[in-house]
Amino acid sequence: EFKRLTGQMIAFLAVAVPLSFYWSLRNYIRFGVPIGYIPISPDDELLITVPPVQRIFDFRLFQWETNHVSSIKYPEYTYNEYNPLIALIKSASIGIDEKLISDRIMFFLIIIWFVLAFVCMIYIMIKKDSMPLVFKAAFSGMFVLFMFSYYLFCIKYPHICTENIRYVLPLIFTGSLFIAMTVSQLSKKRTIPGRILKTGMIVFTILFCTFTVYQSVLLGYFMK
C-alpha cells in the first residue's frame, strides 16, 4: 500500500507542479516579474511594527476582545493585529458588525473548531490503523509545511493583509476531514464517553454549519 499510494502521489506531483509553476514562469518570461514576487503594500497604516518574537508568542487577552481583525486604520481599534494565529482565527470568522450577537457566537464557534480540528488531527495521527501510514505522513507534512510557510510569510511581509486565512485555506478541508474521521472512529466505540463525544461533535458540526450559512446570508444582506 505504501509503495502504491506513494507512486500515485508522485505521479500527481509530476502533473501538478509544472501546472502550478506555469503562471510564475509565464510572467517572468513575458514581463520580467521575479519568481515568487509579492508587491509590498504602500499603506503604512497596515504595517506591523511589533518584533517577530512578540508576534509569535504574545497571546494577551486584549487581543481577544474583538472578533474582527484590529487595524488602526479604523477609529474603533487601537492596534494593528500582529499575532498570526489570532489573526488566522479572526479572519476565518464571518464578521459583519461587532454589535451583533451572532458575530460573537460565530467567533467562539471558530475558536472551538480550530481547537477541535487540531485535537482530532493529533488523535488520528497517533491512533493505530486510523489511516494508512503514507496518508499520515502526507497530512502531517502538509500541516507543518503550510503553517511554517504562513508564519514565514507573515514575518517577512509584516502587513495585516498577509495574516489572512486565505493563505492556508487547504487546512480547513483537512481539519474538517480529521473531525469526520474522529467521529467515525468514535462510532466504533460502544462506551458511554465515546457516544457522548461523538454526539457532541455532531451537534457542534450542525451548529457550526448553520451559523456559517446564517452569517453568509446576513453578510449578503448588509452588502446589498
Side-chain angles (χ1 to χ4, degrees):
E1 282 294 304
F2 187 88
K3 289 182 179 180
R4 182 177 67 83
L5 293 172
T6 302
Q8 290 179 4
M9 292 181 183
I10 292 174
F12 173 78
L13 285 174
V15 176
V17 171
L19 287 176
S20 61
F21 188 64
Y22 160 76
W23 181 253
S24 296
L25 189 62
R26 168 191 177 275
N27 290 342
Y28 176 73
I29 295 174
R30 293 195 61 183
F31 309 110
V33 179
I35 302 297
Y37 172 74
I38 298 174
I40 304 298
S41 172
D43 194 346
D44 288 337
E45 287 185 306
L46 300 178
L47 185 66
I48 299 172
T49 57
V50 175
V53 174
Q54 182 180 347
R55 291 189 64 188
I56 296 173
F57 297 106
D58 187 355
F59 291 92
R60 282 177 291 175
L61 290 178
F62 76 87
Q63 299 174 80
W64 301 94
E65 291 176 357
T66 171
N67 57 296
H68 290 204
V69 176
S70 178
S71 172
I72 58 174
K73 193 171 184 178
Y74 303 102
E76 61 267 34
Y77 301 119
T78 58
Y79 71 99
N80 280 340
E81 201 75 53
Y82 58 84
N83 187 298
L85 185 58
I86 296 177
L88 193 71
I89 294 172
K90 287 184 177 181
S91 61
S93 177
I94 304 173
I96 302 171
D97 189 332
E98 291 192 46
K99 298 177 183 178
L100 296 175
I101 186 65
S102 61
D103 258 31
R104 298 300 297 177
I105 294 175
M106 187 77 242
F107 183 48
F108 287 121
L109 289 177
I110 283 289
I111 294 174
I112 295 172
W113 184 93
F114 268 90
V115 174
L116 183 62
F118 183 75
V119 171
C120 289
M121 181 186 71
I122 299 299
Y123 171 73
I124 294 298
M125 287 298 172
I126 64 177
K127 191 178 188 307
K128 187 178 180 180
D129 299 328
S130 60
M131 66 165 59
L133 180 60
V134 65
F135 287 157
K136 289 186 177 182
F139 280 121
S140 59
M142 185 175 73
F143 175 80
V144 172
L145 179 64
F146 266 95
M147 290 306 296
F148 176 77
S149 63
Y150 170 73
Y151 269 89
L152 189 65
F153 183 52
C154 291
I155 299 301
K156 187 175 181 180
Y157 301 97
H159 293 79
I160 295 177
C161 54
T162 63
E163 298 176 318
N164 198 283
I165 194 171
R166 61 177 174 261
Y167 298 113
V168 288
L169 203 57
L171 294 184
I172 292 181
F173 304 109
T174 56
S176 301
L177 173 65
F178 284 122
I179 293 174
M181 292 188 69
T182 301
V183 171
S184 178
Q185 292 292 325
L186 291 174
S187 298
K188 301 175 184 178
K189 298 182 180 294
R190 298 187 178 182
T191 61
I192 294 177
R195 291 177 180 177
I196 293 175
L197 281 174
K198 183 190 74 172
T199 303
M201 291 172 68
I202 292 174
V203 171
F204 168 75
T205 301
I206 294 172
L207 185 64
F208 180 80
C209 292
T210 302
F211 257 92
T212 300
V213 172
Y214 173 78
Q215 283 290 93
S216 299
V217 172
L218 200 62
L219 180 62
Y221 174 79
F222 274 90
M223 292 182 66
K224 284 197 304 183

